[in-house]
Amino acid sequence: MNQTVKRFRYAMKRLAQAVPIVLAIIVINFFLLHLAEGDAAVALAGEAGSATPEYMAQLRQKFGLDKPLPVQLGIYLKNVLVFDLGFSFRHNMPVAELVFDRFMPTLLLMVSTILIAVGFGVLLGLLAASGLNTWRDTFISVFALVTYATPLFWVGLMMIILFALNLGLFPTSGMENFAAFHEGWDRVKDIAHHLVMPTITLSLFYLALYTRLMRSSMLEQAGMDYVTTARAKGLTERRIVFGHILRNALLPVVTMAGVQVGALIGGSVIVESVFAWPGLGMLAFEALFSRDLNLLLGIFLLSALLVIAINLVVDIIYSFLDPRIEVG
Amino acid sequence: MAFWRLFRRNRSAVFGLAILVAVLVLAATASMLFPGDPFKLAGQPMSAPGTNGFLLGSDTLGRDVASGIAHGAQTSLLIGALATVVAVMLGVVFGGLAGYYGGWIDDVLMRVTEVFQTIPSFLFAILIVAIIKPSISSIVIAIAVVSWPAVARLVRGEYISLRHREFVQACHITGMSDARIMLREILPNCLSPIIVAGSLMVATAILIESGLSFLGLGDPNIISWGFQIGAGRTVLRSAWWVCTFPGVAILLTVLAINLVGEGLNDALNPRLRERS
């Protein structure tokens, strides 16, 4: 059997393993919805301003809320599978549509954050490990410790005070300057300008994580036998570090980047609400304020699915990076 | 005393402990230093630090920021500790059963753990608090529900490595019940990694709590650092101190707990020390 078929089978196997997790998350979602006080009928009647018992019963029947719980769960599962996530009464729009509209800004923020956090984390970890126990190492380690302990929203607010209000370098909030009617390249530049502070804020915490991970991973690899062999061959230190140690030390960082995606989504709720970045996190914050549970649960479900999808992709990338991993 | 000697070797851990003790003292003496409700209006609104009798200034409604920080220390430490205790208990039960029995019990429990680890945790915590209504107990539940899987994995690993040891076999021979072996014999032998994980978890719990109350999901009757920062957001331009000082308090407390946790790790698990 050739390598491609094996890889494909591995991907299929991982996909099959993800199915029960997806189902479990949908079921959790369903029960959370039921835990909440009042159902869709109460919400609708409230919006309409009139609520005779007959009208409520009619509404309940229409939404299937009078059926037993397992039947309702079945209906909910069926709806989710065709991406019907319910209706947001505040926005007067289907949840699925709202959520997809806000998906791109969040994706933009997350991708730029992962790139910055992994990139600088690897660099700083490398610098710290190669200058072990010098002032450089100490400085980087202290930096990582402090950023690891800082609440994201506070960093965001402090950056707004310093860079936006006092120095006027960056805009305080939003994703673009609508009033300027930028088009084409100018618009890209404008969005990038707005992206700087949210990205730095969101990446700081993960930067600390990757720096520490990269440092310990480099140190661990440096003690391996193959490094001794390389040194005995007479390779230069530079080639040992960049040609041998670095590639192996990167593997745990890649794994971690996949694992941390879930946490990144949580962080984006906070960062987006600090910088009024119009993504899923901001939408979640708005939904929280208007007590729009349907919407909140839709966002939750979509982000859980996103995490599963990204973990799947990371696993498959990983099997390419490290041929030792059994794909059969 | 032997423990203290080991702990003392890590100087940054001692530094962390000093900060932590200071925060504890602040929390304990909050009602003596700043008597009365921290929500009460204490004087001129928006006073800068050091003016009108406010050490760290006052907010938009004239509440004393310093008083809020002192009383908020109680909230943060209380929620951090309670949430950790609940999470550790959940994790010990799940991980212990999975590791001790193995087989299908292990499979089922680990699948459940995996689901909880996949769910974006902060978003899940927001949902739980929003659905059960913000209060100390709902915040504690939310933080515990998103934190226990890590403990469960740790405890499971420990139980798997200990369950076939001679002392456990000896317990089986004397006819001891499974529950007793799990709780009285195996558990004390894996306490040190649990203590280390738990101490670091307090720090994470405080960060989650501050995030929740920043978003307006704190207990409305109890002051907390996250709430103070959230309330000061709107006056960022004119009253920087309202947001700044509670944030410094969170930063110092979390940093101190992390340092103490690392010190405990070095002192309790010398084998696991991974620093060269």
Side-chain angles (χ1 to χ4, degrees):
Chain A
M1 199 164 33
N2 68 38
Q3 210 55 25
T4 334
V5 177
K6 264 189 173 174
R7 287 250 157 71
F8 182 70
R9 282 199 165 186
Y10 174 71
M12 284 296 117
K13 202 178 114 197
R14 289 287 292 105
L15 200 61
Q17 281 172 347
V19 170
I21 297 186
V22 173
L23 283 178
I25 288 173
I26 297 176
V27 172
I28 290 176
N29 225 1
F30 173 77
F31 282 109
L32 280 176
L33 194 61
H34 267 264
L35 258 178
E37 272 175 42
D39 53 21
V42 176
L44 254 187
E47 298 288 312
S50 66
T52 58
E54 293 79 25
Y55 178 59
M56 299 277 284
Q58 199 189 340
L59 276 177
R60 291 218 162 84
Q61 198 182 0
K62 191 178 156 203
F63 290 110
L65 292 169
D66 52 347
K67 299 201 172 65
L69 213 57
V71 179
Q72 286 192 39
L73 178 60
I75 296 173
Y76 185 75
L77 273 172
K78 200 194 80 205
N79 286 345
V80 168
L81 289 181
V82 293
F83 262 108
D84 175 5
L85 300 176
F87 197 80
S88 162
F89 299 105
R90 307 285 164 194
H91 293 261
N92 211 10
M93 258 170 105
V95 168
E97 233 172 89
L98 265 172
V99 167
F100 285 124
D101 276 356
R102 300 290 197 95
F103 187 63
M104 282 321 281
T106 296
L107 200 64
L108 180 66
L109 180 62
M110 280 177 57
V111 169
S112 55
T113 299
I114 292 178
L115 290 179
I116 298 277
V118 172
F120 279 94
V122 166
L123 185 70
L124 288 179
L126 188 68
L127 284 175
S130 60
L132 195 61
N133 293 331
T134 60
W135 64 268
R136 195 168 74 196
D137 180 25
T138 315
F139 181 76
I140 291 174
S141 296
V142 168
F143 169 76
L145 254 174
V146 171
T147 43
Y148 194 66
T150 321
L152 286 180
F153 53 89
W154 186 71
V155 179
L157 293 174
M158 291 301 113
M159 283 184 47
I160 290 179
I161 292 184
L162 188 62
F163 295 111
L165 298 180
N166 283 337
L167 298 174
L169 290 177
F170 296 103
T172 50
S173 64
M175 185 164 103
E176 54 185 318
N177 189 353
F178 285 112
F181 294 108
H182 288 302
E183 271 178 39
W185 204 227
D186 280 340
R187 187 164 172 234
V188 173
K189 271 202 288 195
D190 188 36
I191 292 179
H193 193 211
H194 281 79
L195 187 60
V196 174
M197 289 216 299
T199 303
I200 294 178
T201 307
L202 189 52
S203 52
L204 269 181
F205 178 82
Y206 306 97
L207 180 65
L209 209 67
Y210 296 136
T211 303
R212 297 174 67 163
L213 189 65
M214 187 65 192
R215 179 178 177 273
S216 64
S217 173
M218 286 290 290
L219 292 179
E220 192 190 321
Q221 291 294 330
M224 295 285 196
D225 286 344
Y226 72 85
V227 178
T228 317
T229 313
R231 199 162 281 136
K233 274 199 314 193
L235 291 188
T236 57
E237 249 347 270
R238 178 181 288 267
R239 278 205 60 187
I240 295 175
V241 169
F242 289 99
H244 295 262
I245 301 179
L246 182 61
R247 299 168 75 167
N248 286 300
L250 274 177
L251 287 173
V253 178
V254 173
T255 319
M256 200 59 172
V259 173
Q260 285 300 323
V261 170
L264 207 56
I265 291 176
S268 73
V269 177
I270 282 188
V271 170
E272 285 180 15
S273 61
V274 167
F275 290 100
W277 184 261
L280 281 179
M282 185 69 199
L283 190 64
F285 183 63
E286 291 163 9
L288 203 59
F289 257 78
S290 52
R291 298 217 36 91
D292 192 343
L293 273 179
N294 262 354
L295 182 53
L296 207 53
L297 283 163
I299 296 168
F300 175 62
L301 187 65
L302 186 78
S303 38
L305 294 180
L306 188 68
V307 173
I308 295 175
I310 290 177
N311 279 332
L312 209 64
V313 172
V314 167
D315 272 357
I316 292 166
I317 292 177
Y318 204 84
S319 75
F320 279 95
L321 281 182
D322 190 349
R324 283 171 304 184
I325 288 175
E326 198 54 53
V327 292
Chain B
M1 272 302 99
F3 169 75
W4 171 244
R5 256 206 309 283
L6 280 170
F7 185 83
R8 205 179 49 189
R9 278 206 307 224
N10 185 338
R11 267 180 307 163
S12 53
V14 177
F15 174 65
L17 189 64
I19 302 179
L20 187 59
V21 168
V23 177
L24 281 168
V25 169
L26 181 67
T29 57
S31 13
M32 276 185 275
L33 288 173
F34 303 97
D37 190 353
F39 281 109
K40 77 163 188 265
L41 312 181
Q44 188 79 28
M46 311 272 277
S47 310
T51 61
N52 296 330
F54 290 114
L55 181 63
L56 301 177
S58 68
D59 71 0
T60 44
L61 299 175
R63 292 176 292 212
D64 188 353
V65 173
S67 164
I69 288 179
H71 286 88
Q74 294 175 344
T75 317
S76 285
L77 293 173
L78 177 74
I79 290 183
L82 277 180
T84 303
V85 168
V86 177
V88 166
M89 286 195 316
L90 275 174
V92 166
V93 169
F94 267 66
L97 289 173
Y100 184 79
Y101 287 110
W104 67 269
I105 297 182
D106 185 26
D107 279 343
V108 171
L109 291 181
M110 280 301 112
R111 281 294 99 74
V112 175
T113 315
E114 213 172 294
V115 171
F116 277 87
Q117 268 190 321
T118 311
I119 296 175
S121 59
F122 188 66
L123 213 49
F124 195 32
I126 289 179
L127 264 178
I128 296 175
V129 177
I131 284 174
I132 349 184
K133 299 269 170 332
S135 70
I136 291 259
S137 52
S138 69
I139 294 171
V140 167
I141 292 172
I143 298 176
V145 164
V146 301
S147 326
W148 67 268
V151 187
R153 285 183 170 266
L154 176 87
V155 173
R156 172 178 174 265
E158 292 290 319
Y159 269 61
I160 286 177
S161 75
L162 288 172
R163 70 171 173 204
H164 292 306
R165 293 280 184 83
E166 286 87 348
F167 76 93
V168 178
Q169 286 170 347
C171 294
H172 280 300
I173 292 168
T174 57
M176 218 179 257
S177 70
D178 281 351
R180 178 134 188 231
I181 297 179
M182 273 189 268
L183 291 175
R184 301 283 297 275
E185 303 297 330
I186 302 185
L187 189 58
N189 280 295
C190 51
L191 268 187
S192 32
I194 296 178
I195 290 174
V196 171
S199 65
L200 294 172
M201 199 175 275
V202 176
T204 324
I206 291 178
L207 279 180
I208 299 178
E209 186 274 333
S210 71
L212 287 173
S213 49
F214 172 72
L215 291 179
L217 288 173
D219 190 321
N221 303 313
I222 293 165
I223 195 118
S224 74
W225 295 335
F227 166 81
Q228 285 187 289
I229 299 176
R233 263 182 86 173
T234 45
V235 289
L236 214 48
R237 194 185 291 268
S238 44
W240 55 269
W241 53 88
V242 185
C243 282
T244 307
F245 294 120
V248 175
I250 300 175
L251 170 58
L252 283 177
T253 311
V254 173
L255 181 67
I257 296 173
N258 279 335
L259 289 175
V260 170
E262 276 182 24
L264 284 177
N265 191 28
D266 287 356
L268 291 173
N269 307 328
R271 283 179 297 127
L272 298 177
R273 203 175 317 166
E274 272 181 297
R275 37 180 59 200
S276 8

